[in-house]
Amino acid sequence: SAPAGTKQRNANRSKGANKSQEALRVANVAENSSADQKQACKKHELYVSFRDLGWQDWIIAPEGYAAYYCEGECAFPLNSYMNATNHAIVQTLVHLINPDTIPKPCCAPTQLHAISVLYFDDSSNVILKKYRNMVVRACGCH
Amino acid sequence: NFTLDNEVHSSFIHRRLKSQERREMQREILSILGLPHRPRPHLHGKHNAAPMFMLDLYNAMSTEGEEDGYSYPYKPVFTTQGPPIATLQDNNFLNDADMVMSFVNLVEHDKEFLPVRRHHREFRFDLSRIPEGEAVTAAEFRIYKDFVHERFDNETFRISVYQVLEEHSDRESDLFLLDSRVIWAAEEGWLVFDVTVTSNHWVINPGRNLGLQLALESTTGESVNPRVAGLIGRSGPQNKQPFMVAFFKATEVHLRSIR
């Protein structure tokens, strides 16, 4: 927020000192966040098994597929590999300042792939169908 | 390679599910697949002609890789019955399709006719279960012809496929000629006939679906029993049974029903 005016110059001087301290605190938080790469938002392995569901009698192929999932922190600074939107970057900064009010952005899929499933219907006709948005290709902060 | 990585490929259900949880999980996945309930096919022949043809198409899609929108790992399931029966044209149809469906022939037994009558085979396919919002872009009728030892090498037949327009109890059915071609007695392999227009007609007018007829004639115009020419019928091997296949394109977005 903008400073009030000249009458409050003395008050602003102390506020300025507080601001410097605040900036230092933000910088320390940023340094710690950037060092914590293991928990950053990224793609993780997840295999969905139709066989485990006991559906082999009607699903011909596949037996299962690698769906993946997204998990991780979307904390300042959002590196380029996190595929963050501009809004997510701004939200990260606001979260830094007001952590109790504004949450961090979410780690979620940004690109998804389709899969094809080959299966019997009740009449023993065979269906090959493409199902969109079934597999995570990339994760990002949103 | 997830098939080798036991840690990833281990059961994705890591705890015993309660009956209600299992039902809910299955219902959710079925809703994604657009199915009202879990299919219970009465035939389990994965090595029949139609499933094997569809498997060829599935493998063709699987080997296209990530750049075409299909993610790895996909483990292509190769057939053990020789070269794929899907043609290059089928792959072209596949590129434009959202769904492909094969249909079993509902005619249980081939009729045999007296020599004085016109020999023919009848085929019926149920297209009434096609999901809403899917339009036929291409459809084929496929029938296998075996090599016939007993015929002369240069002998030919004329094979004709008809759409049955109307059936009569006292005379032959009214027919509409869809395709006609000459085949060699020595020929062997799948014969493919375009039935796209007919399929579209049946999807829109299910009550007009009276099936197909196939007839064979010699070079002298004499009606010939299809079995004599090597055309596989109901009594033939399962992996050579006639079937129909249709390629579909979605015309509307599928919305999940409200839970």
Side-chain angles (χ1 to χ4, degrees):
Chain A
S1 55
T6 55
K7 288 185 180 179
Q8 296 186 357
R9 199 171 296 161
N10 289 337
N12 287 346
R13 236 183 253 129
S14 61
K15 277 186 184 176
N18 287 339
K19 279 186 184 173
S20 299
Q21 287 174 354
E22 177 67 18
L24 187 62
R25 183 188 75 79
V26 167
N28 285 339
V29 170
E31 188 178 335
N32 289 334
S33 294
S34 64
D36 195 1
Q37 295 299 321
K38 289 183 182 177
Q39 296 179 353
C41 172
K42 66 175 187 177
K43 193 168 75 171
H44 299 262
E45 290 165 352
L46 167 67
Y47 185 80
V48 175
S49 171
F50 294 134
R51 176 171 282 278
D52 282 359
L53 288 168
W55 286 356
Q56 310 91 295
D57 61 325
W58 66 277
I59 292 188
I60 303 171
E63 284 195 354
Y65 68 99
Y68 301 99
Y69 69 96
C70 298
E71 190 178 38
E73 282 269 287
C74 287
F76 179 90
L78 294 179
N79 294 317
S80 59
Y81 66 82
M82 289 180 177
N83 298 319
T85 59
N86 289 338
H87 181 275
I89 296 171
V90 171
Q91 185 169 333
T92 306
L93 295 173
V94 178
H95 168 77
L96 212 53
I97 299 168
N98 295 309
D100 296 331
T101 309
I102 304 297
K104 293 175 201 167
C106 301
C107 178
T110 54
Q111 288 180 32
L112 292 154
H113 270 322
I115 65 165
S116 290
V117 181
L118 185 68
Y119 61 93
F120 285 110
D121 69 4
D122 287 326
S123 303
S124 298
N125 299 321
V126 181
I127 298 157
L128 172 62
K129 191 161 181 179
K130 185 192 300 180
Y131 294 96
R132 303 184 195 283
N133 301 329
M134 294 286 283
V135 175
V136 174
R137 183 177 183 181
C139 298
C141 293
H142 283 253
Chain B
N1 188 339
F2 288 99
T3 60
L4 298 177
D5 188 343
N6 290 331
E7 193 174 325
V8 174
H9 200 62
S10 59
S11 171
F12 93 108
I13 300 177
H14 283 277
R15 61 175 176 85
R16 184 177 292 278
L17 296 175
K18 299 173 189 172
S19 304
Q20 181 64 23
E21 287 176 325
R22 184 174 284 273
R23 277 198 297 272
E24 286 292 329
M25 177 182 283
Q26 294 192 11
R27 194 182 307 166
E28 283 294 319
I29 298 180
L30 286 171
S31 76
I32 293 171
L33 300 179
L35 299 172
H37 60 266
R38 173 203 165 125
R40 303 276 181 188
H42 58 282
L43 299 172
H44 294 276
K46 292 184 182 179
H47 296 287
N48 291 354
M52 286 176 54
F53 170 82
M54 296 294 279
L55 209 46
D56 278 346
L57 294 183
Y58 174 87
N59 288 334
M61 294 170 88
S62 303
T63 53
E64 282 170 355
E66 278 197 32
E67 60 273 12
D68 293 294
Y70 293 94
S71 176
Y72 280 109
Y74 248 150
K75 188 178 176 184
V77 182
F78 293 106
T79 68
T80 58
Q81 301 289 332
I85 53 178
T87 63
L88 182 62
Q89 188 178 41
D90 294 317
N91 285 341
N92 290 336
F93 292 152
L94 194 59
N95 289 336
D96 295 331
D98 296 315
M99 184 177 85
V100 188
M101 204 164 163
S102 71
F103 301 88
V104 293
N105 178 20
L106 299 176
V107 175
E108 290 289 332
H109 305 286
D110 293 329
K111 291 178 185 171
E112 293 290 333
F113 299 92
L114 294 171
V116 295
R117 288 197 58 188
R118 171 179 163 269
H119 293 282
H120 63 271
R121 288 254 179 88
E122 296 170 351
F123 307 90
R124 283 215 189 205
F125 306 98
D126 182 8
L127 272 67
S128 63
R129 292 170 179 259
I130 292 166
E132 283 187 28
E134 299 277 358
V136 177
T137 56
E140 300 173 343
F141 168 66
R142 290 171 158 262
I143 185 165
Y144 195 87
K145 185 196 171 307
D146 252 340
F147 172 73
V148 183
H149 299 273
E150 296 80 15
R151 313 304 293 196
F152 298 114
D153 286 346
N154 58 352
E155 187 175 4
T156 59
F157 301 103
R158 174 162 288 279
I159 181 171
S160 302
V161 174
Y162 302 87
Q163 176 187 339
V164 178
L165 295 176
E166 197 170 342
E167 291 175 320
H168 303 285
S169 56
D170 56 343
R171 64 178 194 274
E172 297 283 347
S173 302
D174 295 339
L175 305 174
F176 179 74
L177 178 65
L178 297 177
D179 194 1
S180 182
R181 65 180 75 158
V182 174
I183 58 173
W184 295 93
E187 205 168 319
E188 181 179 6
W190 287 96
L191 303 175
V192 181
F193 298 90
D194 185 350
V195 294
T196 303
V197 174
T198 300
S199 300
N200 264 315
H201 177 64
W202 288 344
V203 169
I204 297 169
N205 305 289
R208 305 300 296 271
N209 182 353
L210 300 177
L212 301 174
Q213 266 195 22
L214 180 147
L216 220 62
E217 289 176 351
S218 66
T219 49
T220 58
E222 202 176 307
S223 178
V224 176
N225 189 327
R227 180 171 41 82
V228 166
L231 292 176
I232 301 295
R234 268 303 189 191
S235 58
Q238 288 300 310
N239 65 339
K240 292 178 181 176
Q241 288 294 305
F243 64 95
M244 199 184 113
V245 60
F247 298 80
F248 298 87
K249 185 85 177 167
T251 56
E252 58 189 49
V253 176
H254 164 66
L255 297 174
R256 290 178 63 194
S257 56
I258 298 169
R259 296 297 305 278

